[in-house]
Amino acid sequence: MDFHKKIKRIELPTDWPVGPVNVYLIFGDKLTLIDAGRKLEKSWTEFRETLRKEGLSIRDIEQIILTHHHGDHIGLLDYILDNHPVPVYAHGNCRAFLSQDQTFFKNSRKFFEHFYKEFGLPEEEACRLAAMKDYDKSRLRRINIEKELKDGDMVEGLKGWQAVETKGHAQSHISLYHSEERVLICGDHLIGHSPAGVFLEAPQHSGEERSKPLIQYIESLKKLLKLPVDVTLSGHGEPILQLPLKIHETLNKINKRAARVKGKLQRNKKTGYELINELYGKKAETAMGVFISDAIGLLDLLLDRNEITAENHDGILYYRAN
Ligand SMILES: [Zn+2]
């Protein structure tokens, strides 16, 4: 059987601006589902309908692998596992989200309150935004991970595939790679038709240093660049056919955006919040959390490259170009 026929892409609706999300069925020794869409009735109906057309049902799925913990990739787990408990494999950093670890959510909220104030947000706004980091209340189940996947791990029943840790978009992000067939399932690390974002997350344990998602993201891109790949299957949209080109374009865009941020910090020192308002104005208010993740990524990168300096005045960070 042609290898590509052993992978079926199923596009499912979401209620998010990103649009539809892809899940994949791999017909390996075990029928494996990669990712689980958004928790919506219409998504659940479409998923079952597609399986039915393939002569399959939910009961035929033997295991599930998650590329990361975001709500448009884990939503249908609630429905699938309800009547059909199968093992779920994922990166260890999915655990807190899947098990709905209340200590983690409490620490996460505290972390973001502190972080947002340091970023220059007014106190009330910092608290309001941090409270939105609470867990997704529509999720009912606490899901157990059968086995945590680390970089290089194979999954039983899925010969030839291995996990590649690709942090940046999420701290729990893995891709799946088949070296013989040169196929990569890249989750949300790269999306053909739009730039994939990076998201700041609270540390897994309180008191640990926070991650620097854009620096991780670039490292992950460079890691993928070393893999011979013909077809890249993304979490959203059509397959990517020229992975190295897409990676170089993405790196170039990041460098351009970093230069623009540096330019804004040339004359006066600014807080992250002032920077965002200057760059995006009113538009930033529509998705402040997303804009902040994006900006802190670029600021981390410029600090790492020694192109800017950060000074702390009374608990607020001010950035200035060197
Ligand atoms: Zn995602």
Side-chain angles (χ1 to χ4, degrees):
M1 189 175 170
D2 174 10
F3 184 77
H4 292 275
K5 289 189 183 144
K6 292 185 189 169
I7 307 173
K8 171 138 186 87
R9 175 165 77 99
I10 304 174
E11 204 173 53
L12 297 173
T14 76
D15 50 352
W16 285 358
V18 66
V21 63
N22 292 322
V23 305
Y24 294 92
L25 276 179
I26 304 183
F27 298 85
D29 292 336
K30 288 188 178 168
L31 181 63
T32 306
L33 176 68
I34 313 294
D35 285 342
R38 182 99 177 105
K39 190 178 178 181
L40 296 173
E41 277 303 329
K42 65 174 175 180
S43 170
W44 178 229
T45 308
E46 266 188 46
F47 182 50
R48 281 178 302 165
E49 183 59 18
T50 311
L51 288 180
R52 197 186 57 75
K53 283 181 193 155
E54 293 287 315
L56 297 166
S57 82
I58 295 293
R59 298 213 149 261
D60 293 309
I61 295 169
E62 293 175 276
Q63 57 188 10
I64 300 170
I65 301 177
L66 302 174
T67 60
H68 62 298
H69 71 270
H70 288 168
D72 52 340
H73 292 256
I74 65 168
L76 294 180
L77 286 180
D78 273 2
Y79 294 140
I80 298 168
L81 299 177
D82 226 9
N83 297 305
H84 183 55
V86 291
V88 175
Y89 299 90
H91 191 284
N93 288 346
C94 279
R95 192 177 287 282
F97 297 95
L98 293 180
S99 66
Q100 306 201 0
D101 179 344
Q102 297 305 312
T103 309
F104 171 75
F105 291 128
K106 212 173 85 200
N107 289 338
S108 177
R109 187 172 174 159
K110 252 197 264 172
F111 164 83
F112 275 103
E113 265 184 30
H114 177 81
F115 173 82
Y116 287 146
K117 284 180 203 165
E118 215 175 50
F119 198 76
L121 264 75
E123 169 120 16
E124 208 175 294
E125 177 71 354
C127 295
R128 190 189 66 81
L129 264 191
M132 284 165 63
K133 294 282 169 189
D134 269 9
Y135 68 101
D136 182 352
K137 294 185 178 67
S138 73
R139 305 249 354 273
L140 302 170
R141 292 184 153 265
R142 289 167 196 269
I143 291 156
N144 186 40
I145 299 177
E146 179 83 7
K147 184 180 164 249
E148 293 180 6
L149 294 180
K150 292 190 292 294
D151 196 47
D153 278 356
M154 304 282 205
V155 179
E156 208 196 294
L158 206 61
K159 225 172 86 198
W161 289 91
Q162 74 187 102
V164 183
E165 193 182 70
T166 38
K167 286 185 180 180
H169 176 76
Q171 293 305 307
S172 61
H173 202 287
I174 55 162
S175 299
L176 292 161
Y177 179 53
H178 196 297
S179 59
E180 243 171 79
E181 299 291 341
R182 300 163 66 105
V183 175
L184 179 75
I185 297 177
C186 74
D188 281 1
H189 193 68
L190 287 162
I191 298 173
H193 58 272
S194 76
V198 296
F199 293 93
L200 180 65
E201 289 173 29
Q204 288 281 312
H205 304 284
S206 137
E208 282 174 3
E209 212 177 309
R210 74 165 170 86
S211 54
K212 294 179 176 163
L214 189 62
I215 294 177
Q216 292 174 319
Y217 183 79
I218 292 171
E219 277 166 20
S220 299
L221 282 178
K222 290 181 176 165
K223 189 170 173 181
L224 293 185
L225 203 50
K226 291 192 189 133
L227 304 178
V229 173
D230 294 331
V231 179
T232 302
L233 304 169
S234 169
H236 301 270
E238 298 293 315
I240 298 164
L241 298 177
Q242 298 205 43
L243 182 64
L245 182 71
K246 175 76 184 167
I247 292 175
H248 287 300
E249 278 174 6
T250 306
L251 289 170
N252 281 342
K253 269 184 208 154
I254 292 170
N255 287 335
K256 272 191 193 150
R257 300 188 60 234
R260 184 166 173 236
V261 165
K262 188 184 174 184
K264 293 278 175 204
L265 302 172
Q266 219 60 266
R267 286 204 193 144
N268 304 310
K269 61 178 193 219
K270 288 187 183 98
T271 69
Y273 188 55
E274 286 166 344
L275 178 75
I276 287 178
N277 283 323
E278 196 170 311
L279 284 169
Y280 309 109
K282 282 258 172 240
K283 196 176 145 201
E285 283 167 28
T286 56
M288 191 52 90
V290 177
F291 282 94
I292 292 174
S293 275
D294 183 63
I296 196 65
L298 293 164
L299 290 167
D300 285 342
L301 183 65
L302 288 166
L303 281 169
D304 190 59
R305 291 177 176 173
N306 243 328
E307 296 190 40
I308 61 167
T309 311
E311 291 163 22
N312 190 323
H313 294 287
D314 300 327
I316 298 173
L317 288 174
Y318 292 85
Y319 299 90
R320 183 202 298 274
N322 288 345

Short mmCIF file of all heavy atoms in Angstrom, two decimals, residues 68 70 72-73 169 188, ligand 1:
data_model
loop_
_atom_site.label_atom_id
_atom_site.label_comp_id
_atom_site.label_asym_id
_atom_site.label_seq_id
_atom_site.Cartn_x
_atom_site.Cartn_y
_atom_site.Cartn_z
N HIS A 68 0.25 18.53 20.93
CA HIS A 68 0.36 19.48 22.05
C HIS A 68 -1.00 19.65 22.71
O HIS A 68 -1.99 19.07 22.24
CB HIS A 68 0.95 20.82 21.59
CG HIS A 68 0.15 21.57 20.57
ND1 HIS A 68 -0.13 21.07 19.31
CD2 HIS A 68 -0.44 22.79 20.61
CE1 HIS A 68 -0.84 21.96 18.63
NE2 HIS A 68 -1.06 23.02 19.40
N HIS A 70 -3.13 22.24 23.21
CA HIS A 70 -4.10 23.31 22.92
C HIS A 70 -5.51 22.77 22.67
O HIS A 70 -5.68 21.67 22.15
CB HIS A 70 -3.63 24.16 21.73
CG HIS A 70 -2.47 25.04 22.07
ND1 HIS A 70 -1.72 25.70 21.13
CD2 HIS A 70 -1.92 25.36 23.28
CE1 HIS A 70 -0.75 26.40 21.73
NE2 HIS A 70 -0.86 26.19 23.04
N ASP A 72 -7.80 23.16 20.55
CA ASP A 72 -8.26 22.71 19.23
C ASP A 72 -7.56 21.40 18.82
O ASP A 72 -7.74 20.94 17.69
CB ASP A 72 -8.07 23.80 18.16
CG ASP A 72 -6.66 24.35 18.11
OD1 ASP A 72 -5.92 24.21 19.10
OD2 ASP A 72 -6.28 24.95 17.08
N HIS A 73 -6.78 20.83 19.73
CA HIS A 73 -6.09 19.57 19.42
C HIS A 73 -6.45 18.45 20.40
O HIS A 73 -6.04 17.31 20.19
CB HIS A 73 -4.56 19.79 19.41
CG HIS A 73 -4.12 20.65 18.26
ND1 HIS A 73 -3.52 20.14 17.14
CD2 HIS A 73 -4.25 21.99 18.05
CE1 HIS A 73 -3.28 21.13 16.29
NE2 HIS A 73 -3.72 22.26 16.82
N HIS A 169 5.79 26.76 20.10
CA HIS A 169 4.35 27.04 19.99
C HIS A 169 3.67 26.65 21.31
O HIS A 169 2.75 27.34 21.76
CB HIS A 169 3.78 26.25 18.81
CG HIS A 169 2.30 26.38 18.66
ND1 HIS A 169 1.71 27.50 18.12
CD2 HIS A 169 1.29 25.55 19.00
CE1 HIS A 169 0.40 27.33 18.13
NE2 HIS A 169 0.11 26.17 18.67
N ASP A 188 1.32 22.28 15.22
CA ASP A 188 1.16 23.72 14.93
C ASP A 188 2.51 24.42 14.84
O ASP A 188 2.58 25.65 14.88
CB ASP A 188 0.33 24.40 16.03
CG ASP A 188 -1.15 24.13 15.85
OD1 ASP A 188 -1.50 23.40 14.89
OD2 ASP A 188 -1.95 24.63 16.66
ZN ZN B 1 -1.72 25.10 18.96
#
